[in-house]
Amino acid sequence: MSGLDDAGVVDAITQTPEGEVVLIISHDRPWTDSEDELSRLGEKINNYAFFVLDEGFALAYPDAVEQPKRVQVDCVSPPTPQVAELLTQAEAAFAA
């Protein structure tokens, strides 16, 4: 998986038994709260949003266009407070 090292790649996509589409960001290192790490996470989240809102998702997964979607961050350590704040902000933006 690409993780934060490649913001332009969707790391994984799966679908729950209920039909919800889950777009997964993989982070295989402990969080450091560095400016670079937070910037790359923000960029990755934004790219996932653009993928879903733009025609990229619809072209790749036409049968799932109408299904609910969410972004999930899979990581090896719990998010630090700064990372958690960024994820909370992203969640609020997606809800809007």
Side-chain angles (χ1 to χ4, degrees):
M1 288 193 190
S2 298
L4 302 185
D5 294 330
D6 193 345
V9 172
V10 174
D11 297 332
I13 298 177
T14 189
Q15 194 166 20
T16 67
E18 297 79 22
E20 180 182 42
V21 176
V22 184
L23 295 95
I24 299 171
I25 295 174
S26 177
H27 186 61
D28 62 358
R29 297 180 284 259
W31 296 104
T32 65
D33 279 345
S34 71
E35 287 295 322
D36 180 58
E37 180 181 68
L38 294 169
S39 175
R40 288 184 294 133
L41 177 59
E43 182 180 5
K44 186 95 171 183
I45 291 169
N46 285 337
N47 286 343
Y48 275 45
F50 287 128
F51 177 68
V52 169
L53 296 173
D54 195 16
E55 65 183 28
F57 183 84
L59 290 173
Y61 304 97
D63 294 339
V65 169
E66 298 300 322
Q67 298 299 322
K69 296 160 200 69
R70 69 179 161 94
V71 174
Q72 173 178 305
V73 179
D74 286 352
C75 44
V76 296
S77 65
T80 63
Q82 284 184 297
V83 170
E85 176 61 26
L86 179 60
L87 295 174
T88 299
Q89 290 172 1
E91 184 177 24
F94 281 124

XYZ file of all heavy atoms in Angstrom:
731
model
N 0.836 -1.194 0.000
C 0.000 0.000 0.000
C 0.874 1.248 0.000
O 1.936 1.261 0.582
C -0.909 -0.015 1.222
C -2.009 -1.034 1.144
S -3.214 -0.724 2.423
C -4.147 -2.220 2.263
N 0.385 2.298 -0.603
C 1.154 3.516 -0.785
C 1.186 4.402 0.449
O 2.168 5.059 0.719
C 0.580 4.306 -1.953
O 0.679 3.548 -3.120
N 0.095 4.460 1.188
C 0.050 5.311 2.368
C 0.237 6.772 2.026
O -0.109 7.229 0.943
N 0.819 7.497 2.957
C 0.995 8.934 2.781
C 2.091 9.265 1.776
O 2.202 10.401 1.344
C 1.315 9.599 4.124
C 0.289 9.419 5.233
C 0.694 10.230 6.464
C -1.112 9.787 4.793
N 2.897 8.281 1.416
C 3.995 8.536 0.491
C 3.531 8.822 -0.930
O 4.276 9.401 -1.707
C 4.970 7.352 0.484
C 5.681 7.201 1.815
O 5.884 8.220 2.503
O 6.015 6.062 2.175
N 2.330 8.436 -1.276
C 1.808 8.703 -2.618
C 0.371 9.202 -2.491
O -0.576 8.416 -2.456
C 1.873 7.450 -3.486
C 1.633 7.757 -4.957
O 1.145 8.878 -5.263
O 1.927 6.903 -5.787
N 0.246 10.515 -2.415
C -1.067 11.131 -2.191
C -2.029 10.877 -3.339
O -3.244 10.946 -3.159
C -0.916 12.634 -1.966
N -1.518 10.554 -4.507
C -2.370 10.365 -5.667
C -2.942 8.971 -5.820
O -3.673 8.705 -6.773
N -2.626 8.071 -4.897
C -3.080 6.691 -4.992
C -4.097 6.404 -3.892
O -3.875 6.733 -2.731
C -1.882 5.722 -4.861
C -2.344 4.282 -4.754
C -0.934 5.896 -6.024
N -5.216 5.793 -4.269
C -6.165 5.292 -3.278
C -5.610 3.945 -2.819
O -5.444 3.027 -3.621
C -7.579 5.142 -3.870
C -8.518 4.486 -2.871
C -8.124 6.506 -4.297
N -5.323 3.839 -1.523
C -4.626 2.656 -1.004
C -5.468 1.390 -1.129
O -4.963 0.338 -1.506
C -4.206 2.871 0.441
C -3.213 4.023 0.588
O -2.472 4.297 -0.373
O -3.187 4.651 1.660
N -6.729 1.483 -0.785
C -7.615 0.312 -0.891
C -9.063 0.788 -0.880
O -9.388 1.831 -0.317
C -7.375 -0.652 0.261
N -9.913 0.000 -1.514
C -11.353 0.245 -1.503
C -12.030 -1.082 -1.220
O -11.680 -2.104 -1.808
C -11.864 0.818 -2.838
C -11.201 2.174 -3.117
C -13.387 0.953 -2.820
C -11.594 2.783 -4.441
N -12.980 -1.046 -0.308
C -13.743 -2.244 0.009
C -15.207 -1.845 0.180
O -15.541 -0.663 0.170
C -13.182 -2.936 1.277
O -13.807 -4.194 1.433
C -13.378 -2.087 2.507
N -16.051 -2.828 0.327
C -17.472 -2.559 0.522
C -17.969 -3.443 1.659
O -17.660 -4.637 1.712
C -18.251 -2.836 -0.768
C -19.642 -2.270 -0.760
C -20.256 -2.273 -2.153
O -19.833 -2.988 -3.042
N -21.270 -1.452 -2.342
N -18.715 -2.843 2.573
C -19.259 -3.594 3.697
C -20.422 -4.453 3.217
O -20.983 -4.201 2.141
C -19.762 -2.650 4.805
O -20.899 -1.930 4.315
C -18.671 -1.680 5.261
N -20.821 -5.461 4.005
C -21.992 -6.269 3.632
C -23.259 -5.426 3.451
O -24.148 -5.789 2.687
C -22.145 -7.246 4.795
C -20.782 -7.341 5.384
C -20.171 -5.972 5.204
N -23.306 -4.276 4.136
C -24.472 -3.386 4.012
C -24.407 -2.515 2.762
O -25.341 -1.780 2.464
C -24.583 -2.490 5.253
C -24.832 -3.241 6.536
C -23.557 -3.880 7.108
O -22.439 -3.426 6.779
O -23.691 -4.848 7.867
N -23.281 -2.556 2.033
C -23.155 -1.799 0.791
C -22.343 -0.526 0.894
O -22.078 0.123 -0.116
N -21.938 -0.136 2.088
C -21.152 1.084 2.245
C -19.769 0.887 1.622
O -19.117 -0.133 1.826
C -21.006 1.423 3.730
C -20.210 2.684 3.972
C -20.034 2.974 5.452
O -19.775 2.027 6.228
O -20.154 4.147 5.817
N -19.325 1.882 0.847
C -18.006 1.848 0.221
C -17.012 2.492 1.188
O -17.237 3.591 1.682
C -18.020 2.610 -1.118
C -16.624 2.664 -1.719
C -19.001 1.966 -2.087
N -15.920 1.786 1.455
C -14.906 2.268 2.379
C -13.609 2.488 1.604
O -13.052 1.545 1.036
C -14.672 1.266 3.532
C -13.669 1.836 4.532
C -15.981 0.915 4.224
N -13.164 3.737 1.564
C -11.901 4.086 0.930
C -10.864 4.183 2.045
O -11.039 4.953 2.993
C -12.013 5.413 0.191
C -12.989 5.398 -0.990
C -14.347 5.900 -0.564
C -12.442 6.213 -2.125
N -9.819 3.377 1.961
C -8.884 3.230 3.068
C -7.569 3.940 2.779
O -6.967 3.767 1.720
C -8.623 1.736 3.343
C -9.936 1.056 3.725
C -7.569 1.555 4.432
C -9.862 -0.445 3.815
N -7.140 4.734 3.761
C -5.802 5.315 3.770
C -4.981 4.467 4.728
O -5.377 4.253 5.875
C -5.821 6.778 4.253
C -6.594 7.657 3.272
C -4.399 7.300 4.451
C -6.793 9.086 3.738
N -3.857 3.984 4.268
C -2.995 3.142 5.087
C -1.790 3.947 5.563
O -1.130 4.629 4.780
C -2.525 1.943 4.253
O -1.639 1.155 4.991
N -1.526 3.857 6.871
C -0.331 4.511 7.428
C 0.398 3.487 8.279
O -0.081 3.088 9.336
C -0.729 5.742 8.255
C 0.439 6.538 8.721
N 1.333 7.122 7.859
C 0.881 6.841 9.968
C 2.269 7.760 8.549
N 2.013 7.590 9.832
N 1.552 3.043 7.804
C 2.238 1.910 8.438
C 3.373 2.297 9.372
O 4.235 1.484 9.683
C 2.747 0.944 7.368
C 3.760 1.585 6.430
O 4.047 2.785 6.569
O 4.263 0.871 5.539
N 3.369 3.539 9.839
C 4.381 4.007 10.790
C 3.679 4.736 11.937
O 2.564 5.226 11.760
C 5.350 4.965 10.103
C 6.151 4.326 8.997
C 7.088 5.338 8.357
N 6.362 6.244 7.470
C 6.341 6.139 6.145
N 6.992 5.166 5.547
N 5.688 7.002 5.411
N 4.324 4.854 13.078
C 3.730 5.668 14.147
C 3.621 7.132 13.697
O 4.449 7.619 12.920
C 4.721 5.535 15.310
C 5.494 4.294 15.014
C 5.550 4.179 13.515
N 2.602 7.814 14.170
C 2.419 9.229 13.849
C 3.509 10.054 14.518
O 3.886 9.796 15.653
C 1.046 9.703 14.318
C -0.084 9.018 13.622
C -0.873 8.035 14.140
C -0.535 9.234 12.294
N -1.793 7.628 13.208
C -1.615 8.352 12.060
C -0.145 10.083 11.263
C -2.304 8.309 10.846
C -0.838 10.034 10.059
C -1.901 9.150 9.867
N 3.991 11.074 13.818
C 5.057 11.927 14.360
C 4.604 13.367 14.581
O 5.294 14.126 15.254
C 6.277 11.955 13.426
O 5.894 12.594 12.188
C 6.808 10.567 13.165
N 3.505 13.760 13.986
C 3.008 15.141 14.043
C 3.910 16.130 13.315
O 3.810 17.333 13.516
C 2.813 15.623 15.485
C 1.520 15.148 16.097
O 0.639 14.689 15.347
O 1.381 15.237 17.326
N 4.782 15.649 12.462
C 5.616 16.579 11.703
C 4.729 17.353 10.731
O 3.676 16.876 10.318
C 6.709 15.830 10.937
O 6.155 15.095 9.858
N 5.167 18.537 10.377
C 4.418 19.347 9.409
C 4.264 18.595 8.093
O 3.208 18.626 7.461
C 5.119 20.692 9.183
C 5.004 21.656 10.333
C 3.571 22.106 10.580
O 2.809 22.310 9.608
O 3.204 22.244 11.760
N 5.325 17.901 7.685
C 5.287 17.137 6.441
C 4.234 16.037 6.510
O 3.458 15.857 5.571
C 6.668 16.540 6.147
C 6.687 15.739 4.860
O 6.368 16.309 3.794
O 7.011 14.537 4.934
N 4.206 15.307 7.615
C 3.245 14.215 7.758
C 1.807 14.742 7.752
O 0.944 14.199 7.059
C 3.520 13.459 9.051
C 2.579 12.295 9.294
C 2.899 11.608 10.602
O 2.686 12.225 11.663
O 3.378 10.472 10.542
N 1.551 15.814 8.496
C 0.207 16.378 8.542
C -0.204 16.925 7.175
O -1.350 16.759 6.749
C 0.127 17.467 9.609
C 0.292 16.981 11.049
C 0.466 18.159 11.993
C -0.877 16.114 11.472
N 0.737 17.530 6.475
C 0.460 18.045 5.137
C 0.132 16.911 4.168
O -0.822 17.004 3.381
C 1.667 18.838 4.638
O 1.486 19.247 3.309
N 0.921 15.828 4.226
C 0.676 14.692 3.337
C -0.658 14.016 3.653
O -1.380 13.599 2.741
C 1.834 13.694 3.415
C 3.094 14.224 2.739
C 4.235 13.227 2.700
N 4.712 12.951 4.057
C 4.940 11.731 4.536
N 4.760 10.667 3.788
N 5.373 11.570 5.760
N -1.011 13.923 4.942
C -2.310 13.349 5.306
C -3.436 14.224 4.779
O -4.403 13.718 4.193
C -2.418 13.182 6.821
C -3.761 12.669 7.342
C -4.114 11.301 6.755
C -3.748 12.625 8.873
N -3.325 15.533 4.953
C -4.343 16.437 4.432
C -4.484 16.353 2.930
O -5.591 16.332 2.387
N -3.356 16.262 2.234
C -3.381 16.139 0.780
C -4.045 14.827 0.363
O -4.841 14.792 -0.580
C -1.958 16.208 0.226
C -1.891 16.127 -1.280
C -0.467 16.187 -1.811
O 0.506 16.190 -1.025
O -0.327 16.216 -3.050
N -3.730 13.749 1.056
C -4.307 12.437 0.726
C -5.817 12.469 0.929
O -6.582 11.999 0.085
C -3.654 11.361 1.602
C -4.050 9.953 1.269
C -3.057 9.311 0.336
C -3.314 7.838 0.168
N -2.330 7.184 -0.673
N -6.266 13.031 2.049
C -7.704 13.134 2.322
C -8.394 13.956 1.238
O -9.450 13.575 0.731
C -7.953 13.722 3.724
C -7.510 12.720 4.800
C -9.414 14.111 3.900
C -7.462 13.298 6.202
N -7.796 15.089 0.875
C -8.380 15.929 -0.179
C -8.463 15.178 -1.498
O -9.466 15.280 -2.218
C -7.567 17.212 -0.359
C -7.788 18.201 0.742
O -8.818 18.178 1.433
N -6.830 19.075 0.958
N -7.431 14.426 -1.833
C -7.443 13.664 -3.078
C -8.530 12.586 -3.061
O -9.157 12.322 -4.093
C -6.075 13.058 -3.352
C -5.078 14.094 -3.815
O -5.437 15.195 -4.226
N -3.806 13.768 -3.731
N -8.761 11.963 -1.915
C -9.846 10.985 -1.812
C -11.184 11.670 -2.053
O -12.046 11.143 -2.749
C -9.836 10.310 -0.439
C -8.923 9.119 -0.303
C -7.616 9.136 -0.781
C -9.359 7.971 0.325
C -6.774 8.045 -0.644
C -8.528 6.867 0.470
C -7.248 6.903 -0.018
O -6.429 5.818 0.126
N -11.361 12.850 -1.465
C -12.615 13.591 -1.658
C -12.813 13.933 -3.130
O -13.909 13.746 -3.675
C -12.614 14.858 -0.808
N -11.770 14.413 -3.783
C -11.876 14.739 -5.207
C -12.180 13.494 -6.028
O -12.965 13.547 -6.980
C -10.603 15.418 -5.721
C -10.435 16.828 -5.243
C -9.255 17.216 -4.631
C -11.437 17.764 -5.393
C -9.086 18.515 -4.185
C -11.283 19.064 -4.944
C -10.099 19.444 -4.339
N -11.576 12.372 -5.689
C -11.822 11.122 -6.400
C -13.294 10.735 -6.324
O -13.899 10.334 -7.319
C -10.933 10.012 -5.820
C -11.160 8.653 -6.429
C -10.823 8.398 -7.752
C -11.701 7.623 -5.681
C -11.020 7.138 -8.317
C -11.906 6.359 -6.229
C -11.565 6.121 -7.552
N -13.887 10.882 -5.145
C -15.298 10.517 -4.964
C -16.214 11.532 -5.642
O -17.202 11.148 -6.277
C -15.637 10.378 -3.467
C -17.139 10.261 -3.247
C -14.928 9.164 -2.877
N -15.899 12.810 -5.518
C -16.778 13.856 -6.051
C -16.613 14.047 -7.554
O -17.539 14.473 -8.235
C -16.520 15.179 -5.328
C -16.859 15.169 -3.844
C -16.401 16.469 -3.190
C -18.339 14.935 -3.614
N -15.431 13.755 -8.063
C -15.161 13.878 -9.490
C -15.632 12.592 -10.167
O -16.120 11.672 -9.538
C -13.655 14.093 -9.693
C -13.315 14.589 -11.085
O -14.217 15.050 -11.791
O -12.131 14.507 -11.456
N -15.446 12.488 -11.441
C -15.927 11.307 -12.147
C -15.016 10.093 -11.986
O -15.362 9.002 -12.414
C -16.132 11.605 -13.625
C -14.867 11.936 -14.368
C -15.124 12.292 -15.814
O -16.209 12.779 -16.137
O -14.216 12.069 -16.621
N -13.878 10.226 -11.318
C -12.954 9.108 -11.157
C -13.601 7.903 -10.501
O -13.476 6.777 -10.997
N -14.303 8.124 -9.404
C -14.955 7.014 -8.710
C -16.058 6.423 -9.578
O -16.184 5.210 -9.695
C -15.518 7.466 -7.361
C -16.139 6.352 -6.585
C -15.371 5.522 -5.799
C -17.501 6.110 -6.657
C -15.942 4.469 -5.092
C -18.084 5.065 -5.960
C -17.298 4.240 -5.177
N -16.856 7.277 -10.175
C -17.981 6.810 -10.998
C -17.505 5.974 -12.183
O -18.143 4.987 -12.544
C -18.806 7.995 -11.481
N -16.395 6.370 -12.783
C -15.861 5.605 -13.909
C -15.289 4.266 -13.453
O -15.456 3.254 -14.139
C -14.776 6.413 -14.629
C -15.266 7.622 -15.410
C -14.089 8.424 -15.935
C -16.177 7.205 -16.552
N -14.626 4.260 -12.300
C -13.999 3.032 -11.817
C -15.005 2.073 -11.188
O -14.845 0.862 -11.284
C -12.908 3.376 -10.807
N -16.042 2.621 -10.540
C -17.002 1.797 -9.795
C -18.441 2.250 -10.084
O -19.139 2.718 -9.187
C -16.720 1.872 -8.290
C -15.318 1.477 -7.939
C -14.328 2.441 -7.744
C -14.964 0.141 -7.815
C -13.028 2.072 -7.439
C -13.666 -0.240 -7.509
C -12.707 0.737 -7.325
O -11.414 0.375 -7.021
N -18.886 2.120 -11.314
C -20.221 2.643 -11.658
C -21.355 2.006 -10.848
O -22.363 2.671 -10.591
C -20.352 2.328 -13.149
C -19.340 1.266 -13.425
C -18.241 1.452 -12.443
N -21.216 0.766 -10.435
C -22.273 0.105 -9.671
C -22.349 0.592 -8.221
O -23.333 0.311 -7.532
C -22.083 -1.409 -9.673
C -22.248 -2.008 -11.065
O -22.876 -1.347 -11.923
O -21.744 -3.121 -11.295
N -21.328 1.319 -7.764
C -21.294 1.763 -6.369
C -21.518 3.264 -6.205
O -21.439 3.776 -5.099
C -19.960 1.375 -5.746
N -21.826 3.941 -7.293
C -21.959 5.403 -7.246
C -22.999 5.849 -6.226
O -22.791 6.818 -5.498
C -22.283 5.964 -8.651
C -22.697 7.422 -8.581
C -21.099 5.775 -9.567
N -24.102 5.163 -6.146
C -25.193 5.580 -5.256
C -25.027 5.079 -3.822
O -25.815 5.435 -2.954
C -26.537 5.102 -5.817
C -26.867 5.692 -7.182
C -26.945 7.210 -7.173
O -27.458 7.784 -6.181
O -26.476 7.826 -8.145
N -24.007 4.277 -3.562
C -23.804 3.725 -2.224
C -23.188 4.779 -1.296
O -22.444 5.652 -1.744
C -22.877 2.501 -2.284
C -23.417 1.361 -3.104
C -24.734 0.836 -2.553
O -24.945 0.760 -1.360
N -25.645 0.505 -3.454
N -23.482 4.710 0.007
C -22.811 5.618 0.945
C -21.315 5.322 0.961
O -20.891 4.185 0.718
C -23.461 5.288 2.295
C -24.117 3.966 2.118
C -24.397 3.784 0.659
N -20.535 6.364 1.236
C -19.084 6.225 1.215
C -18.480 6.835 2.475
O -19.029 7.769 3.033
C -18.500 6.916 -0.010
C -18.932 6.295 -1.313
C -18.743 7.259 -2.455
C -19.566 6.883 -3.642
N -20.999 7.053 -3.456
N -17.331 6.291 2.858
C -16.575 6.891 3.957
C -15.092 6.623 3.731
O -14.710 5.681 3.041
C -17.008 6.369 5.316
C -16.667 4.926 5.600
C -17.142 4.525 7.009
N -17.236 3.095 7.126
C -16.260 2.311 7.601
N -15.141 2.846 8.008
N -16.435 1.005 7.666
N -14.279 7.490 4.325
C -12.831 7.325 4.294
C -12.418 6.804 5.665
O -12.855 7.311 6.691
C -12.117 8.655 3.971
C -10.614 8.503 4.081
C -12.511 9.143 2.589
N -11.568 5.792 5.657
C -11.084 5.171 6.894
C -9.558 5.219 6.884
O -8.939 4.924 5.866
C -11.573 3.725 6.936
C -11.025 2.889 8.058
C -11.630 1.501 8.002
O -12.845 1.343 7.993
N -10.777 0.493 7.952
N -8.978 5.600 8.007
C -7.522 5.604 8.131
C -7.115 4.402 8.967
O -7.483 4.301 10.139
C -7.012 6.913 8.768
C -5.493 6.887 8.908
C -7.450 8.120 7.949
N -6.397 3.477 8.349
C -5.853 2.316 9.059
C -4.410 2.639 9.425
O -3.601 2.976 8.551
C -5.885 1.067 8.176
C -7.279 0.495 8.016
O -8.209 0.964 8.711
O -7.443 -0.423 7.199
N -4.088 2.566 10.724
C -2.758 2.945 11.161
C -2.265 2.009 12.256
O -3.060 1.325 12.901
C -2.724 4.395 11.616
S -4.086 4.919 12.666
N -0.940 2.002 12.452
C -0.327 1.089 13.417
C -0.338 1.638 14.836
O -0.102 0.894 15.777
C 1.122 0.722 13.010
C 1.133 -0.029 11.697
C 2.011 1.949 12.959
N -0.595 2.923 14.990
C -0.667 3.525 16.319
C -1.843 4.494 16.343
O -2.258 4.999 15.298
C 0.642 4.252 16.656
O 0.848 5.350 15.788
N -2.376 4.746 17.521
C -3.502 5.685 17.591
C -3.083 7.069 17.095
O -1.916 7.465 17.252
C -3.844 5.733 19.087
C -3.197 4.535 19.682
C -2.023 4.204 18.821
N -4.017 7.803 16.505
C -3.694 9.160 16.062
C -3.285 10.046 17.238
O -3.851 9.947 18.326
C -4.992 9.667 15.430
C -5.767 8.438 15.113
C -5.380 7.425 16.143
N -2.307 10.886 17.003
C -1.922 11.890 17.994
C -3.020 12.951 18.044
O -3.881 12.997 17.151
C -0.595 12.547 17.598
O -0.790 13.231 16.356
C 0.530 11.529 17.478
N -3.005 13.834 19.036
C -4.033 14.886 19.073
C -4.083 15.737 17.801
O -5.166 16.078 17.331
C -3.641 15.719 20.301
C -2.993 14.714 21.217
C -2.210 13.814 20.275
N -2.923 16.066 17.225
C -2.922 16.870 15.993
C -3.526 16.095 14.822
O -4.282 16.649 14.028
C -1.509 17.327 15.646
C -1.022 18.465 16.508
C 0.346 18.929 16.053
O 1.308 18.169 16.108
N 0.423 20.164 15.600
N -3.188 14.838 14.706
C -3.748 14.012 13.639
C -5.246 13.838 13.865
O -6.042 13.957 12.932
C -3.032 12.639 13.559
C -3.759 11.693 12.620
C -1.583 12.827 13.120
N -5.641 13.590 15.099
C -7.068 13.436 15.415
C -7.843 14.701 15.067
O -8.959 14.627 14.537
C -7.238 13.078 16.889
N -7.259 15.855 15.328
C -7.921 17.120 14.991
C -8.091 17.255 13.477
O -9.155 17.647 12.993
C -7.122 18.302 15.535
C -7.683 19.657 15.161
C -9.090 19.922 15.678
O -9.492 19.334 16.691
O -9.804 20.733 15.041
N -7.059 16.904 12.725
C -7.156 16.951 11.262
C -8.237 15.998 10.759
O -9.037 16.348 9.881
C -5.804 16.611 10.632
C -5.739 16.604 9.109
C -6.102 17.967 8.531
C -4.360 16.183 8.645
N -8.305 14.806 11.338
C -9.329 13.838 10.930
C -10.729 14.330 11.300
O -11.675 14.144 10.528
C -9.048 12.476 11.562
C -7.751 11.795 11.111
C -7.518 10.517 11.914
C -7.759 11.515 9.628
N -10.868 14.984 12.443
C -12.161 15.546 12.850
C -12.592 16.647 11.888
O -13.763 16.718 11.496
C -12.076 16.081 14.287
O -11.757 14.994 15.169
C -13.380 16.725 14.720
N -11.656 17.485 11.489
C -11.959 18.555 10.525
C -12.380 17.952 9.177
O -13.328 18.438 8.543
C -10.755 19.471 10.338
C -10.450 20.314 11.539
C -9.131 21.061 11.392
O -8.436 20.977 10.384
N -8.771 21.802 12.427
N -11.670 16.914 8.752
C -12.010 16.263 7.489
C -13.391 15.629 7.571
O -14.184 15.729 6.629
C -10.963 15.220 7.131
N -13.693 14.994 8.683
C -15.005 14.376 8.861
C -16.114 15.416 8.784
O -17.146 15.183 8.132
C -15.049 13.645 10.204
C -16.329 12.887 10.452
C -16.292 12.117 11.767
O -15.542 12.475 12.679
O -17.060 11.141 11.842
N -15.899 16.565 9.409
C -16.898 17.635 9.355
C -17.064 18.164 7.922
O -18.181 18.436 7.488
C -16.493 18.778 10.293
N -15.964 18.267 7.204
C -16.037 18.738 5.816
C -16.780 17.735 4.947
O -17.587 18.126 4.094
C -14.634 18.985 5.272
N -16.521 16.446 5.134
C -17.223 15.428 4.355
C -18.720 15.430 4.680
O -19.541 15.233 3.789
C -16.666 14.034 4.631
C -15.382 13.731 3.908
C -14.257 13.332 4.612
C -15.275 13.844 2.534
C -13.065 13.031 3.952
C -14.106 13.559 1.878
C -12.989 13.153 2.593
N -19.058 15.657 5.943
C -20.470 15.658 6.340
C -21.218 16.823 5.701
O -22.409 16.713 5.403
C -20.586 15.713 7.862
N -20.511 17.931 5.493
C -21.149 19.104 4.886
C -21.376 18.820 3.426
O -22.282 19.231 2.801
C -20.264 20.336 5.056
